[in-house]
Amino acid sequence: MTDGKRILVAGGAGFLGTNLCLRLLEDEGNHVVCLDNFYTGRRENIEMLLMNPRFSLREHDVTEPLTLDEAFDEIYNLACPASPPHYQKDPVYTTRVNVFGTMHLLDAARRFNAKFLQASTSEVYGDPAVHPQAEEYRGNVNCTGIRACYDEGKRCAESLVFDYARMYGVRVKVVRIFNTYGPYMDIEDGRVVSNFIVQALRGEPLTVYGTGEQTRSLCYVDDLLTGFLRVMATEDDFLGPLNLGNPEEYTVLELAEKIIAAVGSESAIIHCALPQDDPKCRRPDISRAGKKLGWHPTVSVAEGLQRTVQYFSHLQNVQPPR
């Protein structure tokens, strides 16, 4: 990356946002502004960054109009609740974040001629009828279901991003993120990796929804961020969408067993009812990312889980009762 970039990270106090801010600050020329209202992001994630003179926090809800007095070279839009318990808590708000929030940030990109990266999701494919999922697949989303606020919200956000490019010449990139894990995940976010690790560390049973035969493909956060930076560095005529994820596929039961082993836990596995519209399979086709970026994941699931277990094991609120 070149020196002297001013970069806005919306949702910068969340799981991905915190890791992205840390990564961007590794380049000593970058100045990073974290935009967050702490709806799901955590202030403690970024407290250590506030000591860095090249980092600042702007507390703001992206559903409200955004006034910026400083120009930015790049904007990353990561602002949205990203796990079912969080985005289903207030589905109307989730839709507002995806639609109004994306519009407000696109308006800022248009004003400053900033490059804009939209963090979309594999959820735009819904419960896929095609496996693995390539970017050309248009998805199988239940537009009236309990996940629609997120799935359809992200689909609408993608349409806005491409329309701003066509109508106003905004320089945009769209990445579709598959299941990602690593440090700074919220212990209450309801994602499969954090759920299992916290339960295993506490010696509690691991809760598997349904039979556990549904599959997930897990990408370690460092690999994902490398993809972000490479996408942002592409020429302006490359807009995406682009899948970023790890095509290594496991059943949820296999993941539970791997995490029990990584923790060294004796936790049992119990089964609960499968939530509505929960995808039966999820695996990215990353051929386009390989050809365009030379990108592929390099951190194995075994290594990534070990790093993530180490992070959670140092958090006091996940320690088992004595």
Side-chain angles (χ1 to χ4, degrees):
M1 298 181 71
T2 57
D3 289 342
K5 287 184 180 176
R6 295 195 60 83
I7 304 171
L8 181 70
V9 180
F15 159 50
L16 290 183
T18 300
N19 281 285
L20 178 59
C21 288
L22 284 164
R23 183 72 167 266
L24 292 170
L25 288 167
E26 289 178 2
D27 186 322
E28 294 186 0
N30 289 333
H31 294 260
V32 177
V33 176
C34 165
L35 188 75
D36 211 299
N37 69 340
F38 303 107
Y39 182 74
T40 57
R42 297 188 299 152
R43 193 179 297 270
E44 54 265 36
N45 281 356
I46 59 165
E47 280 180 350
M48 73 289 192
L49 295 179
L50 293 171
M51 304 294 291
N52 189 324
R54 293 183 291 109
F55 177 84
S56 60
L57 168 65
R58 170 83 182 273
E59 199 164 341
H60 181 78
D61 184 334
V62 294
T63 66
E64 300 297 331
L66 180 62
T67 301
L68 295 170
D69 298 325
E70 53 190 331
F72 290 93
D73 301 294
E74 296 176 352
I75 296 174
Y76 290 82
N77 182 19
L78 279 59
C80 184
S83 67
H86 287 164
Y87 63 66
Q88 291 170 1
K89 182 172 72 172
D90 187 342
V92 173
Y93 178 73
T94 299
T95 301
R96 287 172 56 84
V97 170
N98 279 315
V99 178
F100 294 117
T102 301
M103 287 180 66
H104 292 148
L105 291 164
L106 282 165
D107 285 336
R110 180 185 177 193
R111 175 185 172 192
F112 298 123
N113 191 31
K115 277 189 174 183
F116 181 94
L117 185 142
Q118 171 68 17
S120 190
T121 172
S122 62
E123 296 294 339
V124 301
Y125 301 124
D127 187 5
V130 171
H131 192 70
Q133 296 81 56
E135 291 86 352
E136 293 79 14
Y137 178 51
R138 295 185 179 179
N140 178 36
V141 175
N142 177 4
C143 65
T144 63
I146 61 173
R147 299 170 70 105
C149 59
Y150 187 70
D151 301 1
E152 295 287 21
K154 286 289 190 178
R155 286 161 71 96
C156 183
E158 283 197 20
S159 71
L160 283 168
V161 170
F162 282 96
D163 283 337
Y164 267 71
R166 285 186 284 259
M167 290 188 66
Y168 307 123
V170 178
R171 298 181 296 152
V172 303
K173 317 287 179 186
V174 174
V175 296
R176 291 175 177 165
I177 303 168
F178 283 68
N179 294 72
T180 304
Y181 68 102
Y184 299 104
M185 296 182 81
D186 185 347
I187 65 172
E188 304 293 343
D189 70 4
R191 302 186 210 204
V192 63
V193 171
S194 53
N195 272 1
F196 285 171
I197 290 177
V198 171
Q199 289 167 341
L201 285 170
R202 290 174 173 168
E204 300 170 352
L206 273 63
T207 51
V208 170
Y209 295 99
T211 64
E213 294 305 311
Q214 64 271 35
T215 64
R216 297 294 182 265
S217 303
L218 301 179
C219 185
Y220 189 66
V221 65
D222 287 359
D223 283 329
L224 180 76
L225 297 182
T226 297
F228 276 15
L229 299 187
R230 290 189 189 180
V231 170
M232 189 63 100
T234 58
E235 60 274 14
D236 291 348
D237 62 359
F238 180 74
L239 284 62
L242 189 78
N243 288 340
L244 291 178
N246 190 336
E248 208 174 320
E249 186 177 14
Y250 297 94
T251 68
V252 171
L253 271 176
E254 288 173 331
L255 291 172
E257 290 162 357
K258 284 181 176 294
I259 287 171
I260 288 172
V263 172
S265 170
E266 297 181 358
S267 292
I269 294 174
I270 61 174
H271 293 262
C272 302
L274 191 68
Q276 180 185 338
D277 298 329
D278 192 63
K280 308 294 188 302
C281 58
R282 187 58 56 76
R283 178 186 169 195
D285 181 333
I286 59 170
S287 303
R288 183 179 293 180
K291 291 175 183 175
K292 183 66 183 177
L293 308 176
W295 179 89
H296 62 277
T298 61
V299 179
S300 70
V301 170
E303 181 182 355
L305 287 177
Q306 196 60 57
R307 293 183 194 177
T308 309
V309 167
Q310 185 176 17
Y311 168 78
F312 277 103
S313 67
H314 287 90
L315 299 180
Q316 285 190 329
N317 50 354
V318 301
Q319 297 307 312
R322 296 184 182 277

